[in-house]
Amino acid sequence: MAIPSRDDVSIVPRPFVVRDRVVETGDTVSLDLVPVGGGPVPEFAPGQFNMLSPFGAGEVAISISGSDEERGSWTHTVRSAGKVTDRLTRLPPGATLGVRGPYGVGWPLASARDHDLLIVAGGLGLPPLRPAIRRILAHRTEYGRVEIVYGARTPSDLVFSSEIQRWRLRDDLRFQTTVDAAGRDWYGDVGLVTARIPDARFDPARTQVWACGPEIMMKAVAQAAIARGVPPAAIYLSMERNMKCAVGWCGHCQFGPEFVCRDGPVLPYPALAPWLAVREV
Ligand SMILES: Cc1cc2nc3c(=O)[nH]c(=O)nc-3n(C[C@H](O)[C@H](O)[C@H](O)COP(=O)(O)OP(=O)(O)OC[C@H]3O[C@@H](n4cnc5c(N)ncnc54)[C@H](O)[C@@H]3O)c2cc1C
Ligand code: FES
């Protein structure tokens, strides 16, 4: 991504309004956002993020978890983790906020064509992957086998429950859900997402692995995929770092030599591996 100049309009927040608000879990909502005054939302690549600013509270990076081109909206799925995200999760329909973006490099959909895909999401790692999954399903014949593993702490922490049920029923995709702990009415697995990798069906030589979630989970997924014979360069992880400018100026999001906002958030594993081993990078 080219670094914008300081008078570039792409870094100026635009006013958006919350059109719909869907409660996903006890601490997570999806907000459907449209520009104040109407008009289309800019195109985005699955895996990109926007900077959202509930007025007076600050600004945070939030992935685009969906879009509706016909209705001109962006969806963002937000978990209340602190001051700004808490304000976002409380915004009612009709509230306005600032939005700038989209920013960053997303999932490598083009190079994944004709490959098998192993997609692993942990916790709130599913929202940044959902636009890519929808894109793959809309062009299903262009990809090989698709295995998706989604892990959460408990069944009540799973987001997008009705869409997950539809994905689980498809016969051109294997979608597995696993949780750390569950009651007797749970339909999925119990255990770590990595436990599902040894028997996932893919041809390691022609597979891409995409993972999004806690860093410790993504590192374990990468190691499990490599153990199955997937080349490290075919593994992509979506990184989270504290962001300020989101366009490669301030260095807040630096991870080793990479700026997560500009070079990522989706980065190939070989660029991350030396730094994932080092705490506090
Ligand atoms: C590219 C990108 C995409 C993201 N997508 C989403 C998303 O789709 N949905 C969502 O809910 N959140 C997402 N986040 C995380 C979100 O930006 C942070 O939770 C948010 O910045 C926290 O701000 P706060 O003021 O609410 O909380 P704070 O009070 O600033 O922080 C709350 C806690 O979260 C930690 N924290 C803050 N920012 C980050 C961060 N970037 N990475 C890891 N830990 C952090 C803090 O150390 C603290 O422990 C994304 C972050 C990035 C970089
Ligand atoms: S957030 Fe400023 S360089 Fe990435």
Side-chain angles (χ1 to χ4, degrees), residues 2-279:
I3 300 177
S5 71
R6 284 179 193 255
D7 53 5
D8 192 317
V9 291
S10 69
I11 57 150
V12 178
R14 288 173 62 195
F16 273 62
V17 62
V18 178
R19 186 174 60 186
D20 286 321
R21 176 181 182 275
V22 174
V23 175
E24 300 283 356
T25 72
D27 59 7
T28 303
V29 302
S30 288
L31 300 173
D32 192 36
L33 305 178
V34 290
V36 167
V41 286
E43 276 186 26
F44 77 104
Q48 282 193 304
F49 66 95
N50 281 323
M51 296 297 286
L52 305 191
S53 42
F55 295 124
E59 191 181 42
V60 289
I62 303 290
S63 302
I64 301 169
S65 62
S67 75
D68 185 334
E69 279 154 30
E70 276 172 30
R71 299 176 77 203
S73 70
W74 268 326
T75 306
H76 290 277
T77 302
V78 189
R79 172 179 291 157
S80 171
K83 187 176 78 135
V84 184
T85 46
D86 190 58
R87 274 285 294 279
L88 285 169
T89 57
R90 289 171 194 274
L91 289 178
T96 51
L97 72 160
V99 179
R100 62 185 176 99
Y103 297 124
V105 177
W107 302 105
L109 278 154
S111 67
R113 280 208 192 99
D114 299 322
H115 284 62
D116 293 345
L117 273 161
L118 171 64
I119 297 175
V120 186
L124 216 58
L126 189 60
L129 280 160
R130 182 168 71 165
I133 295 170
R134 286 180 174 176
R135 190 75 65 86
I136 290 163
L137 295 180
H139 302 273
R140 185 64 191 87
T141 53
E142 295 176 15
Y143 301 88
R145 289 191 190 129
V146 179
E147 291 260 351
I148 304 176
V149 184
Y150 174 31
R153 277 173 300 171
T154 70
S156 58
D157 293 310
L158 297 168
V159 294
F160 312 146
S161 8
S162 50
E163 192 162 9
I164 284 175
Q165 291 305 340
R166 288 199 299 278
W167 288 343
R168 284 173 61 86
L169 293 174
R170 290 181 69 120
D171 55 12
D172 56 357
L173 146 86
R174 183 157 75 147
F175 191 100
Q176 301 185 73
T177 38
T178 180
V179 296
D180 297 341
R184 294 172 72 178
D185 53 349
W186 170 237
Y187 57 81
D189 294 301
V190 175
L192 299 175
V193 286
T194 39
R196 311 262 56 86
I197 295 178
D199 75 338
R201 288 169 292 205
F202 57 80
D203 172 0
R206 53 181 292 272
T207 294
Q208 279 196 10
V209 178
W210 300 352
C212 186
E215 252 164 61
I216 190 163
M217 177 217 93
M218 293 196 290
K219 192 174 163 191
V221 166
Q223 288 169 344
I226 291 166
R228 284 278 315 264
V230 177
I235 300 170
Y236 293 84
L237 311 181
S238 184
M239 300 301 295
E240 277 197 11
R241 278 293 174 276
N242 257 323
M243 302 236 172
K244 275 251 181 289
C245 70
V247 290
W249 290 342
C250 71
H252 262 83
C253 65
Q254 197 163 357
F255 189 76
E258 314 285 347
F259 283 7
V260 171
C261 68
R262 183 193 64 199
D263 307 315
V266 177
L267 286 155
Y269 183 63
L272 299 168
W275 313 101
L276 279 171
V278 184
R279 289 172 72 87

